[in-house]
Structure formats: C-alpha cells, structure tokens
Amino acid sequence: MTSTSVFSALAPYGWDEAWADAFAPYEPEGLLPGRVVRVDRGQCDIVTADGILRADTAFVTPHDPMRVLCTGDWAVVEPAGNPRYVRTYLPRRTAFVRSTSSKRSEGQILAANVDHAIVAVSLAVELDLGRIERFLALAWESGAQPVVVLTKADLVPDEVTLSHLVRDVETAAPGVPVLTVSALDGEGLDVLVAVVSGGTTVLLGQSGAGKSTLANVLVGEDVMTVQAARDADGKGRHTTTTRNLLALPGGGVLIDTPGLRGVGLWDAETGVGQVFSEIEELARRCRFHDCAHESEPGCAVLAAIDSGELPERRLESYRKLIRENQRIVAKTDARLRSEIRNEWKKRGAQGKAAMEAKRGRWA
C-alpha cells in the first residue's frame, strides 16, 4: 500500500505529514501505522489503512505507567502474525494524565495526542466548581485546549437562572469557552460540533454528566449505551467502561472516557496556574515575592478578596490544588516527568504547524 493511500485512509483519524515523518524509519520493515481505538486486558484495537486490527501490547507494557499504550496513540504494528504485536508507538504530542488512586503516587494516562478537552458538567445537579477547576488544571497541563460543556440545559428553563450558572462557571474557568447544550432539543450542539471538527477531542466528566449522549449526537448514531441518572443525586452508572476513539462525520476525532469519580492532579503546576491566572497575576503585585496570601502586609490577593474583586472560594480552591500538587511532586520523579512533558509540547507544536500547513493547501 502506498504512502498516499495510507495518508488518505488515516487522515480522518488525525494522520498528517508530521506523523508520517515520525513513522518513516519503520516503513522499510513493512510495519503499519495505525491509531489506537481502545485498549483492554493487554490487547488493543487499531485502525489502519487495512481496517481495524486486533493486536497484542506485550512489547509496549513497560514498568513506567506513563509509557503504556493508550487510546489515541499512533502505534507501529506488525502487518501479520498470530498473535499480531504492537512494536512501539510514535512520540506523543500531548497526554491527559491523572494520578491513580493507589498509594504509589503513579500517573495514569487517559488519552494521548489530544487537541481539545471537553469537560462535561450536568446542570441536573448542583455545580461543583472545585471539581471543574480540577479537571481544567489537568486539561491545561496536558497541552490541550479545554472547553466546559454544561449539559442538560433543558432542565434549567429559566434564562436568568441559566445565565447565573454560566457566569459562575466562567469565573471558575478564565480563558475557557463555556457552552450550554441540550441533546434533547439540540440547543448549542451546532457550536459544539464546530469545536470538535478539528483535531482530536477527549470527552471527560463524572458519571451522569451526559457524555455518552453527547458522543451519540456527535457521531450521529447510538454508539454508546445511555443509562438514566439516579433521581436522588443525578449521578449515573458507568455507561462507558473503556476509552473509545471515534471518527466524527463532520471531521475530527472523539475519545470518550468512563465517568471519573476521582481526578487527582499529576504534576500540574502549570495547569493550576492557568486555571487561577487572576490569582497568579495578583500575586505578582504582592509586597513580598514569597507571599503566602495568609496575613502578610501588602498582599494584593487578600486586598482583592476584601474589595470583592476575588471570591474567597477561588483562593481556597487554589490553595488546595497547589498543596495537592506539591505532595505529588514530592513523591515522584519530577525531573523525568518534566522531560516527558517537554517532549509532548515540542511534538504538539510540530503537529499544529503541520496541520496549519495542510489546511492552507486545502483552502
């Protein structure tokens, strides 16, 4: 199969010239490039120019959980064999990582090579702004552009109430688009489709947030089973149990994830700083460069709280996430993770440049 036909077959899944260049050293061996659609129990499904292949991941299961194969990776796979093996994967541009619930302070990669991170939040329950801020910190740290999508907007028919809820979320998400959508009546879906039509988008949120319903609407068919949320608390059961990658009919790729009960930070200092950018900007005006914003004289952050410019809840949330992140960094090899993250960012910049060049040729 020619490189042109490979490009044509894989372009809907995000293949571009930068990925082709990264794969070039493996081409003389007759190996195939493909994108990982899902991973489960040491096996994975990979979309290639020859169709969907099932492959074993034994060769790419290192002791470092940051380097295991995950949904969204571009894999290098054998053209035949029983079993067929994934040899390696191409260097990641970005990766969405959270800390695991284990006491070993390990990171867990949820999705790789992501351009947009949609944080789905249900309007059927009371907003948890702290949780939204936590998701956004991880999204910013991954290198993806976060978007907050408030689902089930039809359950808030009063426009004034809805505008207040949106404003509260916008305060917790500076610099992040906040969309309201309703899969029931189609409100806001056209804007969401436009957002996800370019690049790869990961869909995040708690169980019951309406992620599977959104996935079905975006894909245009019922690819995900939808379960009703419990009346008592608006939470749902885990509809999606694995991470799945889906090509969208209007362009772009969607990675749906299981509902996340726990979202621990993982070396997300930069992400936390972006979520709380107004606090960090204020902190630069404090009299002392190491101001803890507790009771120090000349503290611009405390002055902003006294004047009503900064909600006290924001400062408390900022302190909580900073402390949590510092504990994680203290327990793990920050230098190694920093090197990995810098490599992702370098690859991401190269990939975006290739995408812009491709769009220019198509224009």
Side-chain angles (χ1 to χ4, degrees):
M1 184 170 288
T2 66
S3 58
T4 301
S5 57
V6 169
F7 203 104
S8 177
L10 295 182
Y13 293 91
W15 189 254
D16 57 32
E17 290 184 0
W19 288 123
D21 290 342
F23 175 73
Y26 304 100
E27 196 167 3
E29 300 180 49
L31 299 171
L32 302 176
R35 196 156 195 194
V36 179
V37 174
R38 59 180 285 165
V39 179
D40 59 275
R41 299 179 182 178
Q43 302 245 304
C44 66
D45 293 333
I46 302 173
V47 60
T48 71
D50 293 335
I52 299 288
L53 304 180
R54 187 74 169 168
D56 194 294
T57 65
F59 288 165
V60 284
T61 308
H63 295 298
D64 183 355
M66 295 280 283
R67 299 183 186 276
V68 299
L69 195 72
C70 75
T71 302
D73 272 323
W74 282 100
V76 178
V77 63
E78 296 174 345
N82 188 19
R84 186 195 310 262
Y85 287 99
V86 175
R87 291 282 189 88
T88 186
Y89 59 84
L90 302 182
R92 292 165 177 151
R93 294 177 182 174
T94 63
F96 192 97
V97 185
R98 68 165 178 175
S99 66
T100 65
S101 57
S102 71
K103 295 182 180 180
R104 292 179 293 178
S105 299
E106 294 179 340
Q108 178 189 20
I109 295 183
L110 298 181
N113 303 312
V114 172
D115 300 294
H116 302 97
I118 290 180
V119 180
V121 180
S122 173
L123 289 174
V125 295
E126 184 177 354
L127 290 176
D128 185 341
L129 298 178
R131 179 172 287 273
I132 294 173
E133 290 162 343
R134 180 179 291 271
F135 269 113
L136 292 176
L138 292 175
W140 280 123
E141 190 67 35
S142 76
Q145 166 65 53
V147 179
V148 177
V149 174
L150 303 178
T151 66
K152 308 180 184 181
D154 52 281
L155 298 180
V156 189
D158 182 67
E159 292 186 7
V160 174
T161 301
L162 183 60
S163 66
H164 284 309
L165 293 173
V166 171
R167 192 178 309 121
D168 287 344
V169 175
E170 288 175 338
T171 300
V176 176
V178 178
L179 310 178
T180 58
V181 304
S182 169
L184 185 65
D185 58 25
E187 177 191 343
L189 291 177
D190 54 339
V191 179
L192 182 58
V193 168
V195 169
V196 302
S197 63
T200 297
T201 300
V202 63
L203 191 52
L204 307 160
Q206 288 183 284
S207 298
K211 298 194 292 23
S212 294
T213 300
L214 281 181
N216 288 338
V217 170
L218 293 172
V219 175
E221 57 182 295
D222 291 340
V223 293
M224 300 293 175
T225 303
V226 178
Q227 296 177 345
R230 299 191 298 258
D231 290 336
D233 55 12
K235 296 180 181 178
R237 295 182 292 276
H238 287 294
T239 299
T240 307
T241 56
T242 59
R243 285 167 281 283
N244 302 278
L245 183 145
L246 308 162
L248 301 177
V253 177
L254 182 70
I255 299 177
D256 191 21
T257 64
L260 302 176
R261 291 193 179 95
V263 192
L265 297 185
W266 182 254
D267 192 17
E269 180 181 357
T270 301
V272 172
Q274 287 186 263
V275 175
F276 298 94
S277 56
E278 83 278 31
I279 294 179
E280 300 221 330
E281 175 62 31
L282 287 166
R284 285 191 276 271
R285 302 182 217 161
C286 291
R287 180 182 302 177
F288 303 107
H289 74 276
D290 58 349
C291 183
H293 321 306
E294 297 284 354
S295 58
E296 296 87 345
C299 175
V301 174
L302 295 180
I305 289 179
D306 290 340
S307 69
E309 177 187 352
L310 177 69
E312 188 169 0
R313 186 207 66 79
R314 286 279 286 170
L315 179 58
E316 289 304 316
S317 183
Y318 174 70
R319 286 170 173 162
K320 179 180 179 180
L321 294 185
I322 286 292
R323 287 194 299 266
E324 178 181 332
N325 194 66
Q326 288 173 340
R327 286 196 298 270
I328 288 292
V329 170
K331 292 179 181 179
T332 56
D333 188 342
R335 181 190 59 79
L336 175 61
R337 290 198 320 280
S338 178
E339 290 176 357
I340 294 173
R341 188 171 61 252
N342 288 338
E343 181 63 22
W344 289 342
K345 291 180 178 179
K346 177 182 176 182
R347 296 284 178 177
Q350 293 172 344
K352 289 178 181 178
M355 183 181 295
E356 290 301 323
K358 181 171 64 175
R359 286 174 177 170
R361 289 196 301 274
W362 290 350

